[in-house]
Amino acid sequence: MNKSKRPFTKSKRSFRRRLPPIQSGDRIDYRNMSLISQFISEQGKILSRRVNRVTLKQQRLITIAIKQARILSLLPFLNNQKQFER
């Protein structure tokens, strides 16, 4: 019986670091719908910080902007429309 020293070695894969979704020049406010819509799920829920890959300060600003847009009816509060595919 021949045992290798490392039976469970991980393969060394190179990975590219993902770019942050918010650049330094982007303003986070309720009118910037193209930016805000990136941080909402299909059901209309606000995605978490880990999923968004943003800082805590950015997440707070995103949350406030989404809530303001919902109140002004620029965004739906929830999206319950089920899409049927044939």
Side-chain angles (χ1 to χ4, degrees):
M1 203 152 111
N2 188 4
K3 289 186 180 180
S4 62
K5 291 183 181 179
R6 295 183 187 177
F8 301 107
T9 57
K10 286 187 178 180
S11 63
K12 292 184 180 180
R13 281 190 265 159
S14 64
F15 65 93
R16 217 176 112 211
R17 192 166 188 184
R18 288 179 56 191
L19 295 172
I22 299 177
Q23 304 300 325
S24 59
D26 291 341
R27 288 198 61 219
I28 303 171
D29 64 344
Y30 66 93
R31 291 172 286 180
N32 194 351
M33 297 305 294
S34 60
L35 181 70
I36 287 177
S37 60
Q38 295 176 3
F39 305 108
I40 297 176
S41 69
E42 292 179 6
Q43 291 83 26
K45 295 181 180 180
I46 301 173
L47 295 174
S48 69
R49 226 181 104 210
R50 287 181 307 175
V51 176
N52 291 339
R53 296 194 180 235
V54 293
T55 63
L56 181 62
K57 188 174 183 179
Q58 288 173 338
Q59 181 70 19
R60 285 188 188 132
L61 291 172
I62 289 166
T63 304
I64 291 169
I66 290 172
K67 289 179 180 180
Q68 285 176 343
R70 284 176 176 168
I71 289 171
L72 294 171
S73 69
L74 299 173
L75 281 175
F77 276 91
L78 52 114
N79 187 9
N80 282 334
Q81 295 176 352
K82 296 185 180 179
Q83 297 176 356
F84 297 103
E85 295 180 11
R86 293 184 185 200

